Amino acid sequence: MHKRVTYSSVWLPYLLVLPQVAITLVFFIWPAGQALYQSVLRQDAFGLRTEFVGLENFIDLFQSDRYLDVFLNTILFSAATTFSAMGFALLLAVMADRVIKGASVYKTLLIWPYAVAPAIAGVLMWFLFNPTIGFAAWALGGVGVEWNHYTNGTQAFILVVIAAAWKQVSYNFVFFLAGLQAIPRSLIEAAAIDGAGPGKRFWTIIFPLLSPTTFFLLVVNVVYSFFETFGIIHATTEGGPGGATEILVYKVYKDGFVGLDLGGSAAQSVVLMAIVIALTVIQFRYVERKVQY
Amino acid sequence: MVENNRMLTFVSHLVLVLGLLTVALPLWIAFVASTHGQADLIAGRIPILPGAHFMENWGTAVTSGLKRAGGVPVGLMLFNSLVMAIGIAVGKIAISIISAYAIVYFRFPFRMAIFWMIFLTLMLPVEVRILPTFEVAANLDLLDSYTGLTVPLIASATATFLFRQFFLTVPDELTEAARMDGAGPLKFFKDILLPLSWTNIAALFVILFIYGWNQYLWPLLITTDENYYTIVMGIQRMVTVSDEEPRWGIVMATAMLAMIPPVLVVIVMQRLFVKGLVEQEK
């Protein structure tokens, strides 16, 4: 789509795009290029000599059990976060769509966690589940679960999933509710006249019609859990105990900034870049489909 | 709804209220903790109602902070966060609206190349280029400065797309009429396009303010001087003290202070917020 009426000037358009282009080149394209470049180099222990090693950094990476563990951890973390955040949000959105009175009040009361930073969400849960003074840990103790995320890796993992999902519920809720409200009432009424109960209507009509929203949210949630949850991990578990909550973005930070392994960290960056690119492509293909839909 | 089934309606409300309470529980517990002294908290009694130390904890947090965490007053961190959030939101909107204007209203060599280059930033979040971006910022002498906290983050593909999308819906007749009346490209932008974009700008501002306020990794990399800490990253130092129990009352007061500004923005500007959220994803 293009404008029929345009202005012509030799220098003005360049001047207008200059700030954006300059920042993009200096802080995005150049560093990304550097990451690509460094991922095929290796420095010796003293940082004196640098040599070209081809794909060796990548081969090392994928032959390292630790990296594969972290990769698997990230996939589990992402799946658990996405599933819980979307499931909970869908349940609430369906209920809010059903009630005639108060839907907007519920919306206002559910929307605010979106504004809470992931790191702060992590800190809130870290306290809520604190083994000695946390309310949730105390309640769990009441039903016989001994909660201690300082020593129990599985529990620490569940904790960061809860923190990540808690924050994302409101976002999913907004989109699910909008999707539900866009479904024509006549379809649902027709099904009801044919004798379909609420459960059957949901699974045979509402849920399939909601699939564009669901798919879109799936991608957004996966991207969120892969890339925006660094703060949760860093502010609370710091990858522990025993690496149980280490995820890819945390490892790339730790290896690069704390471990100072330039080549290895750059190779991890490149892997992450490939993941974002793949996810973005999926998202945009879907957006094109939505336009035709 | 189709059936007028009281039981179903009741269940719906029940599920919603339980959901609300679950979502609000961490906030309530944080608030309660922020009103209790350290002695009450570590004694192992789990308070579920507010105590008497509200002023003390919140006061300590705002004015002096925690000694062990570098003693940065939360007041200063709040100010830094505000500068960062507003700087990022305004910066992103400003540079995106003018580049979208250039891309839509002018024909010039490399126009599409520039468009795709801006698009590329979408695929390169800070998280995937941590070290080299830090090096660039260090070489440009941007560490420990407000410029360093904001400028590297203000390139925005989504904002540019949003404005481009909007400009494409503005009727050509307006441009023709303006031209007929002798308005040049800058006058047309300032007097016609900018006023028309006002709601879009406001909706985007809400989303970007929250984005900027909630930044964590970037301020963590770029600041070593405590005077430039933002509240969202600064809280980490209060929580991860190694050999003793954190001062939970003050930590939770800080956590509340860190979320009040963005949460207020979302609640007060709910309509704009939802509009911004939905449009950003188009």
Side-chain angles (χ1 to χ4, degrees):
Chain A
M1 205 169 142
H2 296 285
K3 281 278 172 197
R4 198 162 37 77
V5 188
T6 55
Y7 286 101
S8 53
S9 163
V10 181
W11 54 271
L12 186 59
Y14 293 104
L15 194 67
L16 290 170
V17 295
L18 181 69
Q20 178 101 287
V21 167
I23 289 168
T24 305
L25 279 177
V26 173
F27 294 106
F28 287 77
I29 310 283
W30 169 256
Q34 283 287 304
L36 275 174
Y37 176 63
Q38 280 164 2
S39 72
V40 294
L41 298 179
R42 183 170 295 162
Q43 278 188 330
D44 68 6
F46 304 101
L48 298 174
R49 276 186 36 211
T50 308
E51 55 169 348
F52 176 79
V53 291
L55 293 177
E56 241 175 73
N57 285 326
F58 292 94
I59 294 167
D60 284 358
L61 211 54
F62 283 100
Q63 279 177 349
S64 132
D65 288 342
R66 184 72 206 119
Y67 187 71
L68 295 177
D69 279 351
V70 173
F71 214 109
L72 187 68
N73 242 355
T74 313
I75 291 172
L76 276 177
F77 172 74
S78 178
T81 305
T82 302
F83 182 77
S84 8
M86 285 179 66
F88 193 53
L90 180 60
L91 174 72
L92 294 178
V94 168
M95 295 301 154
D97 187 44
R98 279 195 56 84
V99 302
I100 300 146
K101 284 183 195 139
S104 64
V105 177
Y106 286 122
K107 193 165 152 187
T108 307
L109 291 174
L110 274 170
I111 222 169
W112 60 269
Y114 173 85
V116 178
I120 303 291
V123 171
L124 291 185
M125 295 300 167
W126 191 241
F127 177 68
L128 186 66
F129 284 88
N130 183 297
T132 44
I133 59 171
F135 177 77
W138 170 78
L140 282 169
V143 294
V145 180
E146 207 175 304
W147 185 275
N148 190 342
H149 51 238
Y150 290 101
T151 54
N152 185 325
T154 314
Q155 292 180 350
F157 187 83
I158 294 173
L159 181 88
V160 288
V161 168
I162 293 176
W166 175 78
K167 191 208 128 59
Q168 198 64 4
V169 165
S170 48
Y171 183 91
N172 296 338
F173 176 80
V174 168
F175 279 88
F176 272 136
L177 189 61
L180 286 167
Q181 285 172 343
I183 294 174
R185 295 287 127 166
S186 53
L187 283 177
I188 296 164
E189 278 161 21
I193 291 166
D194 288 346
K200 194 171 171 71
R201 286 204 302 272
F202 177 77
W203 288 113
T204 55
I205 298 175
I206 299 176
F207 192 68
L209 283 174
L210 209 54
S211 61
T213 310
T214 312
F215 184 70
F216 159 76
L217 286 176
L218 203 63
V219 180
V220 171
N221 281 270
V222 169
V223 171
Y224 161 78
S225 53
F226 260 76
F227 298 99
E228 287 165 49
T229 46
F230 173 84
I232 298 178
I233 309 281
H234 186 261
T236 62
T237 65
E238 299 189 80
T245 55
E246 197 160 321
I247 58 170
L248 289 171
V249 281
Y250 188 75
K251 190 170 165 55
V252 73
Y253 163 82
K254 206 182 78 178
D255 289 357
F257 250 74
V258 187
L260 297 175
D261 169 14
L262 289 182
S265 174
Q268 292 184 40
S269 288
V270 173
V271 173
L272 281 172
M273 242 180 257
I275 297 173
V276 200
I277 291 172
L279 287 169
T280 316
V281 169
I282 294 174
Q283 188 169 349
F284 273 78
R285 286 208 131 172
Y286 151 73
V287 169
E288 271 166 37
R289 274 228 326 259
K290 187 171 74 171
V291 174
Q292 292 163 4
Y293 174 72
Chain B
M1 252 307 161
V2 186
E3 299 103 335
N4 193 7
N5 186 331
R6 274 163 184 275
M7 195 55 209
L8 269 180
T9 311
F10 173 74
V11 170
S12 302
H13 280 289
L14 188 72
V15 170
L16 281 165
V17 170
L18 286 177
L20 281 183
L21 292 179
T22 314
V23 169
L25 179 71
L27 186 70
W28 175 250
I29 295 294
F31 174 70
V32 168
S34 77
T35 62
H36 284 274
Q38 180 78 346
D40 288 357
L41 289 174
I42 56 175
R45 291 185 299 271
I46 317 277
I48 50 168
L49 290 173
H53 297 265
F54 175 82
M55 287 311 288
E56 189 187 317
N57 286 336
W58 287 59
T60 311
V62 172
T63 54
S64 59
L66 281 177
K67 276 283 171 303
R68 294 190 57 99
V72 196
V74 173
L76 179 63
M77 293 200 276
L78 280 171
F79 174 75
N80 292 339
S81 287
L82 193 69
V83 171
M84 186 174 181
I86 292 179
I88 288 177
V90 171
K92 272 184 186 265
I93 290 171
I95 68 171
S96 298
I97 198 167
I98 56 175
S99 41
Y101 176 60
I103 286 167
V104 173
Y105 281 94
F106 290 88
R107 295 282 162 276
F108 53 100
F110 303 114
R111 178 171 150 270
M112 284 323 277
I114 288 170
F115 182 72
W116 286 110
M117 198 181 82
I118 296 171
F119 177 80
L120 216 58
T121 61
L122 211 58
M123 304 191 184
L124 301 169
V126 187
E127 285 78 2
V128 311
R129 51 185 168 84
I130 299 177
L131 262 182
T133 317
F134 171 78
E135 278 164 14
V136 171
N139 289 336
L140 293 174
D141 207 11
L142 292 175
L143 304 185
D144 290 321
S145 71
Y146 290 122
T147 322
L149 280 172
T150 51
V151 172
L153 297 182
I154 66 176
S156 176
T158 36
T160 310
F161 288 164
L162 184 74
F163 285 122
R164 173 180 170 268
Q165 220 63 2
F166 173 67
F167 290 160
L168 286 173
T169 66
V170 173
D172 280 341
E173 286 74 13
L174 268 181
T175 325
E176 277 168 345
R179 186 180 287 173
M180 215 87 94
D181 290 341
L186 287 177
K187 196 166 173 55
F188 171 70
F189 177 73
K190 185 167 97 26
D191 290 342
I192 294 175
L193 228 38
L194 209 52
L196 283 176
S197 313
W198 193 237
T199 11
N200 283 301
I201 292 176
L204 208 52
F205 184 86
V206 174
I207 302 286
L208 295 176
F209 179 86
I210 294 164
Y211 165 87
W213 185 277
N214 289 347
Q215 284 303 309
Y216 185 87
L217 179 58
W218 187 245
L220 185 74
L221 299 180
I222 204 111
T223 59
T224 48
D225 178 352
E226 283 133 9
N227 290 323
Y228 288 98
Y229 280 4
T230 63
I231 188 163
V232 171
M233 64 145 299
I235 199 168
Q236 183 258 345
R237 297 216 153 193
M238 300 184 176
V239 184
T240 51
V241 284
S242 49
D243 48 352
E244 60 173 293
E245 199 58 38
R247 294 285 303 277
W248 286 113
I250 296 172
V251 173
M252 286 299 123
T254 310
M256 300 284 296
L257 284 164
M259 53 186 156
I260 287 171
V263 166
L264 268 186
V265 166
V266 164
I267 292 177
V268 173
M269 306 204 224
Q270 196 187 329
R271 252 161 219 272
L272 280 175
F273 165 69
V274 173
K275 180 180 155 67
L277 209 58
V278 174
E279 287 199 342
Q280 211 186 20
E281 304 301 347
K282 268 183 190 160

